[in-house]
C-alpha cells in the first residue's frame, strides 16, 4: 500500500525527470542549430520552433541565447569529463593512466569542436565565454591528475615532490596543446600508436621515470 508521502515523492521525481528531459532537449536542439548556422545566426525563436516547445517554455529554462550557449558548452564538457572519469577508473598503472588521460582529453576536445560545425568558430572567437564555463571542468581535471600522480608516487612509479604543482602544470600543458592538436599541427600524418611511445617517454622522463 502506497502512503501519501511515497506517492508525492514519486510525482515530484517524475516532474524532475520531465524538467530534465525538456531542458536537455532544448540544449540538444540549440547545439544542432548553433553547429549548422553559427551562434550569431541563430535566434531564440529558431530554437523554440525547432524544439517544438515554444518561446514560453524556452524562456522558462533560459533567459537568453548566451545562457543556452553556456549550457551547450557545459554539456559538451560533461561528455569529456565522463570520458576522463572512465579512464581514471580503469585497472591500469598510473603511468598508463597519465598517457590515456592526455590522449582522451585532446581527442575528445577535437571531436567536440569538429562535430559542431559552424559552432567551432565560437570556441575560438569567444574563448573568454568558453573559459568562464569550463572553469569547473578544469578544476575537476586537475584533481583527477592529482589523484593519479599521488597514486603513482605512493607506488614508487613517479618521483614527484609536489603532486599539486605537477598536476597544475600537466593540465595547463594539455590545455595549451588543444588548438594545435585540433588543427593537426602536432604529429601531422602520424598515427596515435606511433606517437604514444614518444609522448610516454617524454612524460615519464618529466615525472622522474624512464621506460
Amino acid at each position: 500500500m502506497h502512503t501519501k508521502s511515497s506517492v508525492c515523492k514519486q510525482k515530484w521525481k517524475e516532474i524532475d525527470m520531465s524538467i530534465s528531459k525538456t531542458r536537455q532537449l532544448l540544449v540538444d536542439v540549440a547545439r544542432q542549430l548553433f553547429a549548422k548556422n553559427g551562434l550569431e545566426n541563430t535566434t531564440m525563436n529558431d530554437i523554440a520552433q525547432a524544439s517544438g516547445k515554444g518561446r514560453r517554455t524556452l524562456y522558462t529554462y533560459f533567459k537568453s541565447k548566451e545562457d543556452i550557449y553556456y549550457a551547450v558548452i557545459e554539456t559538451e564538457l560533461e561528455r569529456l569529463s565522463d570520458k576522463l572519469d572512465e579512464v581514471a577508473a580503469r585497472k591500469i598503472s598510473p603511468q598508463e593512466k597519465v598517457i590515456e588521460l592526455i590522449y582522451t582529453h585532446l581527442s575528445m576536445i577535437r571531436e567536440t569542436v569538429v562535430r559542431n560545425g559552424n559552432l567551432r568558430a565560437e570556441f575560438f572567437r569567444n574563448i573568454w565565454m568558453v573559459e568562464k564555463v569550463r572553469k569547473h571542468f578544469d578544476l575537476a581535471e586537475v584533481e583527477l591528475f592529482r589523484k593519479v600522480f599521488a597514486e603513482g608516487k605512493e607506488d614508487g612509479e613517479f618521483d614527484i615532490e609536489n603532486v599539486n604543482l605537477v598536476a597544475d602544470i600537466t593540465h595547463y600543458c594539455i590545455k595549451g596543446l588543444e588548438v594545435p592538436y585540433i588543427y593537426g599541427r602536432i604529429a601531422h600524418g602520424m598515427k596515435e600508436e606511433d606517437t604514444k611511445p614518444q609522448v610516454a617517454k617524454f612524460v615519464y622522463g618529466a615525472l622522474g621515470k624512464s621506460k
Side-chain angles (χ1 to χ4, degrees):
M1 182 177 179
H2 294 293
T3 65
K4 185 176 181 180
S5 177
S6 64
V7 171
C8 288
K9 287 181 180 179
Q10 181 61 30
K11 284 186 176 180
W12 279 114
K13 184 177 180 181
E14 291 174 358
I15 291 173
D16 287 341
M17 289 179 64
S18 177
I19 290 173
S20 178
K21 287 181 179 179
T22 300
R23 186 182 187 281
Q24 190 57 52
L25 170 64
L26 294 171
V27 171
D28 290 341
V29 169
R31 187 195 66 78
Q32 293 172 35
L33 289 175
F34 291 154
K36 181 180 179 181
N37 306 319
L39 180 62
E40 295 299 324
N41 296 322
T42 301
T43 66
M44 291 291 274
N45 279 338
D46 294 334
I47 299 171
Q49 291 177 7
S51 67
K53 294 295 182 179
R55 284 172 56 86
R56 180 175 295 181
T57 299
L58 179 59
Y59 278 99
T60 296
Y61 291 90
F62 303 101
K63 297 177 182 179
S64 65
K65 184 171 64 174
E66 287 68 30
D67 195 17
I68 196 168
Y69 175 63
Y70 287 141
V72 168
I73 298 174
E74 284 179 344
T75 300
E76 294 298 287
L77 290 175
E78 284 172 5
R79 291 177 62 249
L80 172 54
S81 184
D82 289 343
K83 285 291 184 180
L84 293 177
D85 286 341
E86 288 178 14
V87 173
R90 290 180 191 170
K91 300 299 182 181
I92 56 179
S93 71
Q95 288 187 354
E96 292 174 295
K97 281 185 184 179
V98 171
I99 302 304
E100 289 303 315
L101 285 171
I102 292 172
Y103 273 85
T104 298
H105 176 120
L106 292 174
S107 62
M108 285 294 294
I109 283 288
R110 181 168 61 185
E111 176 194 320
T112 297
V113 174
V114 170
R115 86 187 186 96
N116 279 299
N118 288 329
L119 184 58
R120 78 186 72 176
E122 304 300 333
F123 279 95
F124 302 120
R125 184 162 59 245
N126 293 324
I127 196 68
W128 64 271
M129 293 176 69
V130 177
E131 284 298 305
K132 181 179 179 180
V133 179
R134 71 178 288 174
K135 181 179 179 181
H136 296 296
F137 163 78
D138 287 348
L139 291 174
E141 184 177 59
V142 169
E143 182 58 31
L144 208 58
F145 274 110
R146 284 174 184 160
K147 290 180 179 178
V148 175
F149 288 145
E151 179 187 351
K153 181 178 180 179
E154 185 177 343
D155 292 346
E157 289 192 23
F158 302 145
D159 182 16
I160 301 174
E161 291 185 12
N162 190 317
V163 169
N164 292 340
L165 176 61
V166 175
D168 286 338
I169 292 173
T170 302
H171 165 74
Y172 285 107
C173 283
I174 298 170
K175 194 172 180 179
L177 291 172
E178 289 176 357
V179 174
Y181 189 82
I182 289 169
Y183 283 115
R185 295 171 184 163
I186 298 178
H188 180 68
M190 296 181 68
K191 296 180 180 179
E192 187 174 303
E193 56 265 31
D194 297 325
T195 63
K196 270 190 176 181
Q198 298 179 54
V199 172
K201 186 175 181 180
F202 177 82
V203 172
Y204 296 159
L207 295 174
K209 297 292 290 186
S210 60
K211 191 172 182 179

